[in-house]
Amino acid sequence: AEYVEAAPMPGVALTEKLMPILLWHNVLVSGAVFATGNALFALLLFAKLSPISLASRLLFLAICAGFLYTTLSKFLVGFLGPDVVRTPTLGVAYVLDEQVYPYVPPVVYAINVAVNDLKAAVWCVSYVHTAKYLAATWLLSEVGKRVSLGTAAYA
C-alpha cells in the first residue's frame, strides 16, 4: 500500500498545536494550561459568576467608560482642544473576507455589524443606542447571576 498525503483540512494546524498539550508531552506546559484553566474556573465559581454575566459586566463597564470619556471630553473641549475625542471608525471591516470566505461568508457581515454597533454604543454616538446597550448588558448580567451557563445551554 502506498502512502497518500491527505489534503490540508481547516483546523489541522490548531489540532497539531493542541495535541502535545492534551497528551502531556511537555509536562510543564500542560500543567500550566491545566492550572490556569482550573484557577479561572475556581474564580468564576467562588465569585458566583457565569461566563455570560462576566462578559456582560465587562461590556457594561466598557460602555460606561466610553460614555463617561466621550461625555466629559465634550465638556472639556474648551480646555483640552477639539482633537481629544477621536472620531470612531464606524463601518471599517474588522474581519477580512479571505479569512472566513471558504467557510461562512455571512459571518463577516454579522461580525462587522456587531462590532460597529458596539463601537457606536461605547463611543456614545446616540444616547438612546447607548442606553439600550446598557440596559441589555445589565439584564444579561442579572440573568447570568440566576441562570448558570450549563442551564442556559440546555434551554
Side-chain angles (χ1 to χ4, degrees):
E2 187 176 321
Y3 176 74
V4 178
E5 188 172 328
M9 292 174 41
V12 170
L14 180 64
T15 305
E16 290 173 356
K17 292 178 183 178
L18 282 178
M19 289 313 288
I21 294 172
L22 295 175
L23 296 175
W24 291 75
H25 289 171
N26 186 342
V27 176
L28 291 176
V29 172
S30 297
V33 169
F34 182 72
T36 303
N38 278 330
L40 288 174
F41 176 76
L43 284 174
L44 288 174
L45 181 68
F46 292 130
K48 295 185 180 177
L49 293 174
S50 71
I52 293 173
S53 65
L54 182 64
S56 64
R57 286 177 190 208
L58 290 175
L59 184 58
F60 182 81
L61 288 175
I63 292 172
C64 285
F67 172 77
L68 287 174
Y69 174 75
T70 305
T71 305
L72 291 176
S73 61
K74 286 179 183 176
F75 287 124
L76 297 174
V77 146
F79 299 106
L80 302 175
D83 58 342
V84 173
V85 179
R86 295 182 297 134
T87 305
T89 55
L90 301 174
V92 174
Y94 302 99
V95 177
L96 301 176
D97 287 341
E98 299 87 33
Q99 295 171 335
V100 274
Y101 185 72
Y103 309 106
V104 190
V107 169
V108 173
Y109 178 74
I111 290 173
N112 288 328
V113 167
V115 170
N116 201 32
D117 281 351
L118 286 174
K119 282 185 86 170
V122 168
W123 284 98
C124 199
V125 172
S126 163
Y127 288 114
V128 173
H129 189 69
T130 300
K132 286 179 183 178
Y133 267 87
L134 286 173
T137 54
W138 177 80
L139 184 64
L140 271 177
S141 70
E142 291 299 314
V143 168
K145 280 188 214 174
R146 290 161 178 74
V147 179
S148 70
L149 182 62
T151 306
Y154 288 120

